[in-house]
Amino acid sequence: MKILILNGPNLNLLGTREPEIYGSQTFEDYFQILQAQFPQHTLEYYQSNIEGELINKLHEVGFSYEGIVFNPGGYTHTSVALRDAIASITTPVIEVHISNPHARESFRHQSFVSPVCKGSIMGFGLDSYRLGISSF
Amino acid sequence: MKILILNGPNLNLLGTREPEIYGSQTFEDYFQILQAQFPQHTLEYYQSNIEGELINKLHEVGFSYEGIVFNPGGYTHTSVALRDAIASITTPVIEVHISNPHARESFRHQSFVSPVCKGSIMGFGLDSYRLGISSF
Amino acid sequence: MKILILNGPNLNLLGTREPEIYGSQTFEDYFQILQAQFPQHTLEYYQSNIEGELINKLHEVGFSYEGIVFNPGGYTHTSVALRDAIASITTPVIEVHISNPHARESFRHQSFVSPVCKGSIMGFGLDSYRLGISSF
Amino acid sequence: MKILILNGPNLNLLGTREPEIYGSQTFEDYFQILQAQFPQHTLEYYQSNIEGELINKLHEVGFSYEGIVFNPGGYTHTSVALRDAIASITTPVIEVHISNPHARESFRHQSFVSPVCKGSIMGFGLDSYRLGISSF
Amino acid sequence: MKILILNGPNLNLLGTREPEIYGSQTFEDYFQILQAQFPQHTLEYYQSNIEGELINKLHEVGFSYEGIVFNPGGYTHTSVALRDAIASITTPVIEVHISNPHARESFRHQSFVSPVCKGSIMGFGLDSYRLGISSF
Amino acid sequence: MKILILNGPNLNLLGTREPEIYGSQTFEDYFQILQAQFPQHTLEYYQSNIEGELINKLHEVGFSYEGIVFNPGGYTHTSVALRDAIASITTPVIEVHISNPHARESFRHQSFVSPVCKGSIMGFGLDSYRLGISSF
Amino acid sequence: MKILILNGPNLNLLGTREPEIYGSQTFEDYFQILQAQFPQHTLEYYQSNIEGELINKLHEVGFSYEGIVFNPGGYTHTSVALRDAIASITTPVIEVHISNPHARESFRHQSFVSPVCKGSIMGFGLDSYRLGISSF
Amino acid sequence: MKILILNGPNLNLLGTREPEIYGSQTFEDYFQILQAQFPQHTLEYYQSNIEGELINKLHEVGFSYEGIVFNPGGYTHTSVALRDAIASITTPVIEVHISNPHARESFRHQSFVSPVCKGSIMGFGLDSYRLGISSF
Amino acid sequence: MKILILNGPNLNLLGTREPEIYGSQTFEDYFQILQAQFPQHTLEYYQSNIEGELINKLHEVGFSYEGIVFNPGGYTHTSVALRDAIASITTPVIEVHISNPHARESFRHQSFVSPVCKGSIMGFGLDSYRLGISSF
Amino acid sequence: MKILILNGPNLNLLGTREPEIYGSQTFEDYFQILQAQFPQHTLEYYQSNIEGELINKLHEVGFSYEGIVFNPGGYTHTSVALRDAIASITTPVIEVHISNPHARESFRHQSFVSPVCKGSIMGFGLDSYRLGISSF
Amino acid sequence: MKILILNGPNLNLLGTREPEIYGSQTFEDYFQILQAQFPQHTLEYYQSNIEGELINKLHEVGFSYEGIVFNPGGYTHTSVALRDAIASITTPVIEVHISNPHARESFRHQSFVSPVCKGSIMGFGLDSYRLGISSF
Amino acid sequence: MKILILNGPNLNLLGTREPEIYGSQTFEDYFQILQAQFPQHTLEYYQSNIEGELINKLHEVGFSYEGIVFNPGGYTHTSVALRDAIASITTPVIEVHISNPHARESFRHQSFVSPVCKGSIMGFGLDSYRLGISSF
C-alpha cells in the first residue's frame, strides 16, 4: 500500500524547538522508524505550513494512494477548504494529533476535518501516526 | 470590459472528480463556452488553492479590470483576509457559488465576503458564473 | 415559459417613497421593461403585504408555471410558513433581493427560504429580477 | 361538545401535492371520517394560510366552543400573536402536528404555542387529530 | 394634527375578555375618552389581527398624517416586515405597550420595531396611549 | 397486542406525594383502569429510577412487543443513552408526559428522545397514557 | 405630589458638551421649565455619577415620595444593584432615556431596571422627562 | 499487561440488532478475536447499561490494571460523573468509538471524557478497540 | 433530629486515592467525627455511584427524616431526575461540595439541584458537611 | 480572630422595608446576636452601597484580619473589580447570600466573586452569616 | 502637554501586595520615574476604586488636557458608564493594561472602553504607561 | 538588536490604494523613517499575503532575532496556525494594528494571536509600529 504521511503547520519544528525538553528527534528521524515498522507499505512524507499546498498534495495523491495519515495542526479548527479537499478525494484519510485537542483551549474542540475522515486518533504523542498507519 | 473569473480551493477538481457522475467537463472547458457567450468581454481565468495567491490576484487586477466573478469555495466562510482584499480594491466583485451554501451545513451559512461584494449569486450550478458575468 | 414575479411586503412603495432619491419608477413600470426584455416568456406580476396571500399565490401557480422569481422582503428572515409553501410546490423558485441582506443588520443574515429555493440572487438592485428570469 | 379543527398554512395542499406518494385523500375527505368517528361531537373545520385569520377564528369560537384542535403549521415556530390569541380565550386548545417537529430542522424544535395549550400531540400522521379530539 | 391609533393582534379582545377582572371597557370606549382629552387633534382608530393589513394601513396614512401611535402586540417581537414598513414611511411612529414586555417572557424582550420608531412608551396600561399622543 | 407502559424516575411517588392535593391514586391503581379500558391489549407496567434499568427493559421487550408507552421523566432532557436505546429497538415507542414540559423551565424544552419516537403526547395528565395506548 | 428627577452618569454634561451642537441648555435650565409645566407637583432634582449614591438617593426618598423619574444612563445595562434598589422601595419608578437605547449598540438593548419599573419612556429627547412626570 | 475492555450503554445489542445488516457477530465473539490478537496481554471484558456500574468497575480495576479501553456510548456526551471517575484513577484510559461522533448529531460533538483520557480513537468500527489495545 | 448524609459518585474514593496527598482518612472515618460533633442528632450515611439509587434513597427517607445533607458530585451538573426527586420530597435538602465548583471548569458552574435545595455550602473541604448539619 | 462582616448594596434596608413581613430586625440588631454567639471572635460590621467603598474596605482589612464574611448583594453578578480586590488580599473571604441566587433570575446564576472566595454559603436567610463565621 | 495618568480599581495596591514578588515599588514611585522620562510634559496622577469618581475625573480634565492614559482595571469589562464618559469628552484617551487581558479569563476579553479610545496598549507591565505617554 | 517588522495580508496596498486620501506613502517609505528613528537596532521588513509564508518567516527568525513586531491583518481573527507558530518560537512578538479592531465589526474583536504575544498595541495608525519597536 502507498500511504502518505501529511503534516500541517508548525510540525516542521519538532526536534528543533526546546530539544532539552522534547528531545532532538525530528519528524524526519521518526519517519525512518515508521518506515522500518511498516516494511509492507510504501510510506511518503510531506509537510507544509501553507494551507493551499496541503490541499494541492491531497489532490495529487488522493485518487491513487491507498491511505493518508494527516495531522492538520492548527488548520484542523479553521479550514473548511481542507475539509472540502478531503471530501473530494477517494483515498481514505485518517486524522491524527500528537496531543489531545479536547484537553486544550475550547477553540481546539471543533474539528472541521473529523466528519469527513475515516477515523481520528489523538493524544498518543508521535505514536498516533503508527496507530493511524496500522488502521489500514 | 475586462473581467476576471476567479476560483478558490478545490474547484480545479471539476471534471476530474467522479466524471461518471459530474461529467468530464473541466472548468477550463466551461470557460471556453463562457468566452463564446460573451464575445463583447475579455474574460480571464485564474484558480488557486492558496488563500494568499487569491489575494495577490485580486490586488493585481482589482484597480484596472471592470469586473471580477469570484467563487471563494471553502474560504467564503473563514477568510477575513479575502474580505479585506475585496474591500481594498476598486473593481466590483460578484460572489458566485455552484451550489447553495444555505442548503448545506450551518457553518456554510456565514459568508465573510458577501457584505463587501456588489452582489451574490448561488445555487445555479455552473450557470451561476454566466449570470455573474451578465450582471455587468 | 410562464413565470411569476412575486413581491412581498413594502415593495409596493417603490416609486412612491422619496422619488427625488429613488426616482419615480414604480415596480409596475419596471415590470413593463422586464416584459420587453423577455418576449419569449409570459411574465405575471403579483404583490402582497400579507404573508398568507403570498402563500396562496405560490399554491395557485406552483404546480403549473415554469418558474417563480420571488422577493420575500422582510418575511425572508422570519417565515417558516413561506419556506414550507415553496418546499410544497413543484415550480422552481428563485429568491431575489434588491440590496444584499448580508450587508445589513445581523437579523437579515438568516434566510428561511434560501435552502428550499433553486438559487438566490441578491444585491444587484432591480437588476436582480432580470438575472433571476434569465436563469430559466 | 362543539369542537373546531383548525389548520394553519399549507395544510390545504394535502391530497393535491404528490398524490402518487401521499394519496389523493384531502383533509376534507379525512374530516368526514373524523365526523363519523365522533358522532357525539359537533365538529367544524376551518383552514387559512393567513396568520391573522387564524387569530380571528380563535377569537370567534374561543369563548363558546368546548375544544379546539389546532395544527398551526409553520406558524408554530414563529408566532407570538397566535400564542397570545390562545392565551386570551377560554376554550382549551390542543396542539397537533402530523409529523414530529423535533425530528426535523432545529428551528422547528421551538413552539411558541405549546406552553399555552392544554396539551400537545405530534408525530402520528393524520391520526394526531383523532387523538386530539379523543382527549376531550 | 391627524393622528392614527393603530392596534395589532388580540387588542380587539379588550373589554370582552374576563370583564369581571379587566372591566367591560372596550378599546372603542377608551378611544372616545382619548378623543375628549385631545380636542386639538383628529384621532383615527384602526385594529387588525393581520400583519399585512397593519402594513397596508401604515402605507396608507404614513405620508400624510402627523403621527401614529402603534401597539404592534405580538408582532413586536417577530416582524421584520412591520419594521421595514415603519422605516419606509415619513410619519413618525410611537411604539406603545399596555404592559412592560421586559417584565414578561424573554422572547418579548426583543422589539424589531423599537429602533425605527421615534420613541417607545410601555407599562402604563391604557394610559400609554395618552402619553404617546401627548408626545406630539 | 403486547404493550409496555414504562415509567422513569420519580413517577413511583404518584399517590404518595401530597395525597391531599394529587389524590391517593397510585400509578398502579391507574394501571388497573387502563387495563380495563383496553381489554384487547396485554398491558405490562414497569418503573425504575435507574436510567440503565430503563435501557435494559427497552432491550428486553423492544424486539417482541407491539408498542411501548414511555414517560422518561427527568431523563427526557439529559439522556443520550435512552435515545440510543429507543433507536436500537424495533418496537415503536410513544413518548408521554403528564404535564407539558414546554410550559416549565427552559431546560425541559429539549427532549433527546422525541426525535426517535413514533410520536409524543404531553400535557393531558394521566390521560396522556390512555391516548398513547390508543395510538396503536 | 413629591416627585424626584434622578439622573445617572454623564448626564451632568448636558449643556457643557458641544454647546454649538446641543445648545447651552443645562439640565438645571430644563428642570426649571419642568417645574413651570407642573405647578401642581413638588419636583426635586439629583444627579450623580456614582452608582451607590444613586442607590442611596433611591433609599432616601423611596418610601415617602409619590414618584421617581429615573434616567440611569450607562448603569441601565449593567447594574443589578440599582434594579434591587428599585425593587426594594415603595415609590413607583419611571425609567426614561433621552435617546432610544434599542437603536444603538446591542449591549444597550438589555435593561436591568425595566422589569422592576412601573413603566419606560425612551427616545423623545428631554421631552421623555415631561412624559414621565405626566404619567403620575 | 492486564487490560479491561469496558463498554457502555446499548453496546450489548451488537450482533442481535439487525443481523442481516450488521452481521451476527456479538461483541463477545469479537472479544475472542481480540484475545487471540494480543496473546501477550490479559484482556477482560465488562459491559453495563448503568452509568454507576461503569463507575464502580473503573474504581475496581483503576488502581491495579495497566490499561482500560473504554467506549462510553451515549454517556460520552452527558456524564460528568464518568469523567470524574476516570480522573480519579491511576490506570490510563483510552476512549474508543465505533463510529465517528463528530460525523453525527451536534450533541455528540462534545465529549466529557476526552480531556481526562490518555487518547481517543474513533471511527474505525470494531477495529477501534484493536487500535486502542495496541496503543499500550 | 434524624439527618441523612448522602454522597454521590466517586466520593467513595476518599482516603483511597493518593493517600500520600489527601491522607488516608476515608469518609467513613470522617463520618465518625461528625457523629461525635453532633451527639444531639441521629446521623446516617449512604453513598452510591448510581444516580437512580440516590433517587431511591431520597424517596425512602424524604418524608420522615428532618434533614438531608447531599453532595451530588458529578450529577450536580447533569441530573434533572435528582432535581425532581429533591423537589418531590418534604425533607429539606442542603447541597454541599468539598471544593468550589465555580472555581473549576465552566460546565461545573451550573447546578440543577441548587434551586430546589434549602441552601448550598461549597468550598470548605470536608468541613462543608459539618456546616451543612449545623444549619439545621 | 478579627472578622469583618461586609455587606453590599441594599442590605442596609433590612428591618426598614416591609417590617410587617420581614420583621423590624435590622442587620445591626442581628449583628449583636452574632457577637453574642461568637464571644471568642472580634466581629466588625461595615456596609456600603458604593462598589468602590467595598473595595476600599477589603484593602483596609484584607492584610491583617483573619476572616471576611462578605455578602456582595447585586455586585456579585457584575463586578470584576470586587473579584480582583478579593484576589489581591490575603485574608480569606467567605461569600454569603441570604436567599439562593440560583433559585432566582438567570442573571443571578453567575458569580464573579465565587471563584476567588474560600467558600460560599447561600440560601439560609440571615443564618448564612452565622455559618460563614463558624467556618473559621 | 498636560497629561493625566488615571488608574482604576485595585491599582493602589501595587507595591503593597506581595512585595517579595512584585517588589516594593508603588505606582507613586513609578510615577516619579515617568515624570523624569517626559520632562516636556506636565503629568498628573489620580487613582480611585470608585467608578463614578473616575467618571468625575474624566469630566474634570477631559475638555482641557491634551491626553489621558487610563488603566480602567476591572471596570474595563463591565462599565458602559465609563465608556460613555470617554466618548463625551474631547481629550483623547489611551487605554493601557499592565498584563494582557486576552491571555486571562474569557470575561476579560471584552473591553467596553476600547472602541471609544484613541488606542490600546496592553501586556508590557508598567512600561505600558510609558508607551501610552509616548504616543502623544 | 535585530528586529523583524512582519506584515500580513493586504498591508502591501498601503500607498497604492486611494492615495488622494491616505497619501502615497508606502510601507516601504515608512520603513525608512522607522530605520532612521531606531539607529541602534537592525530592522528588517517582510510582508506576505500567504498565511503559511508568515509562519515560515516566524520560524526562520524566531530563534535568533531579539524581537518581532507583527501586524497579522485579517489573519488575526482566524488563524490558529499563526498562534501556534508564535507560541513555538522564542523571540518575543508584539502584535500591532493600525486601526483599533475593537471599534470595527464584531468578528474583529477576537484575536487568536493576542494571548501568545508579549503585548499588543492598536489604534495609533502607522505609529503603532514605532511604539512596538520602542517597547524592546
Side-chain angles (χ1 to χ4, degrees), chain D residues 39-105:
Chain D
Q40 72 277 32
H41 297 323
T42 303
L43 301 185
E44 180 185 330
Y45 175 57
Y46 182 78
Q47 191 273 341
S48 177
N49 291 323
I50 298 176
E51 188 179 6
E53 288 184 354
L54 296 167
I55 295 170
N56 287 342
K57 194 70 183 183
L58 288 166
H59 290 175
E60 178 192 326
V61 311
F63 298 95
S64 57
Y65 282 34
E66 277 81 11
I68 298 171
V69 173
F70 185 19
N71 182 344
Y75 293 140
T76 306
H77 320 296
T78 64
S79 178
V80 173
L82 274 170
R83 174 199 183 104
D84 290 349
I86 295 170
S88 296
I89 60 177
T90 54
T91 304
V93 177
I94 308 298
E95 177 194 20
V96 295
H97 296 282
I98 293 175
S99 62
N100 185 342
H102 293 278
R104 303 181 66 191
E105 302 96 329

Side-chain angles (χ1 to χ4, degrees), chain J residues 20-136:
Chain J
E20 66 286 1
I21 296 176
Y22 298 106
S24 58
Q25 187 189 37
T26 63
F27 197 86
E28 283 76 6
D29 295 336
Y30 175 66
F31 180 62
Q32 294 193 328
I33 296 172
L34 275 178
Q35 285 178 308
Q37 285 177 317
F38 294 97
Q40 72 277 31
H41 296 323
T42 303
L43 301 185
E44 181 185 330
Y45 175 58
Y46 183 79
Q47 191 273 341
S48 176
N49 292 321
I50 298 175
E51 189 179 4
E53 288 184 355
L54 296 166
I55 296 171
N56 287 343
K57 194 70 184 183
L58 287 166
H59 289 177
E60 178 192 326
V61 311
F63 299 94
S64 58
Y65 283 34
E66 277 81 12
I68 299 171
V69 174
F70 184 19
N71 182 344
Y75 293 139
T76 306
H77 319 297
T78 63
S79 179
V80 173
L82 274 169
R83 175 198 182 104
D84 290 349
I86 295 170
S88 297
I89 60 177
T90 54
T91 304
V93 177
I94 308 300
E95 178 194 20
V96 295
H97 296 283
I98 293 174
S99 61
N100 185 343
H102 294 278
R104 304 181 65 190
E105 304 95 330
S106 63
F107 61 79
R108 294 191 206 268
H109 298 187
Q110 174 195 45
S111 168
F112 276 117
V113 306
S114 275
V116 293
C117 286
K118 188 193 157 196
S120 300
I121 297 170
M122 57 193 77
F124 298 94
L126 285 173
D127 206 33
S128 294
Y129 293 89
R130 179 185 64 79
L131 292 167
I133 298 170
S134 75
S135 80
F136 288 109

